Amino acid sequence: MTEVSAVVDDTLFAQLDPPVLAGSDCAECAVVAFPAVTRCPGCAGTSVSRVALPQRGTVWTWTEQAFAPKPPFRVPDSGFQPFVVAYVDLGVVLVESRVTSPVRIGDEVELRLLDLGDCTTFAFEKVAG
């Protein structure tokens, strides 16, 4: 694996090589959440366990982030560049994420690490073919 700069939040990942996001699954009502939580957002139960989420999903919807987000986002020295943000349907949960390639609703995407210079986070990329 290529050297990864500091991860923006270790709790987002089940593992980094290959990248896999970590969610939580409620034993009481079967709600899956991302990021992982200790109390279920569906039933408020505490019988939740950490689970690895699928690496591939489908673009549910997307938009272009045309202005700099609020802190802790840091505008790079080169200036803000718009980027795509999507809801990715992983089958068990929708994940909001940056997308590093042009996409359309219904496109299949796969999880990737995204190096932001001073830290690494996650993003999705359209599956070729």
Side-chain angles (χ1 to χ4, degrees), residues 6-16 20-24 33-38 50-53 120-122:
V7 176
V8 69
D9 183 347
D10 290 335
T11 66
L12 296 175
F13 297 94
Q15 67 183 47
L16 290 175
V20 176
L21 296 175
S24 57
F34 176 80
V37 295
T38 57
R50 204 168 148 89
V51 294
L53 297 176
T120 298
T121 190
F122 67 93

Side-chain angles (χ1 to χ4, degrees), residues 1 10-11 22 26 30 44 47-48 52 55 59 61 64 68-69 71 75 80 86 98 102 109-110 118-119:
M1 178 176 150
D10 290 335
T11 66
C26 180
S47 297
V48 294
Q55 294 169 281
V59 174
T61 194
E64 183 177 274
V75 176
F80 175 76
R98 283 181 73 161
V109 290
E110 186 169 39
D118 60 343
C119 67

Side-chain angles (χ1 to χ4, degrees), residues 7-117:
V7 176
V8 69
D9 183 347
D10 290 335
T11 66
L12 296 175
F13 297 94
Q15 67 183 47
L16 290 175
D17 189 13
V20 176
L21 296 175
S24 57
D25 185 13
C26 180
E28 295 175 36
C29 72
V31 165
V32 175
F34 176 80
V37 295
T38 57
R39 184 171 293 274
C40 176
C43 70
T46 57
S47 297
V48 294
S49 58
R50 204 168 148 89
V51 294
L53 297 176
Q55 294 169 281
R56 285 190 174 195
T58 304
V59 174
W60 186 72
T61 194
W62 65 272
T63 191
E64 183 177 274
Q65 177 74 34
F67 54 89
K70 62 185 178 185
F73 181 85
R74 290 184 300 277
V75 176
D77 293 338
S78 59
F80 175 76
Q81 296 295 317
F83 54 84
V84 173
V85 177
Y87 278 111
V88 176
D89 185 348
L90 297 180
V92 294
V93 67
L94 288 176
V95 172
E96 183 180 359
S97 175
R98 283 181 73 161
V99 177
T100 60
S101 57
V103 292
R104 299 172 85 171
I105 293 172
D107 282 349
E108 185 178 14
V109 290
E110 186 169 39
L111 185 66
R112 299 280 189 252
L113 292 178
L114 178 62
D115 183 4
L116 298 175

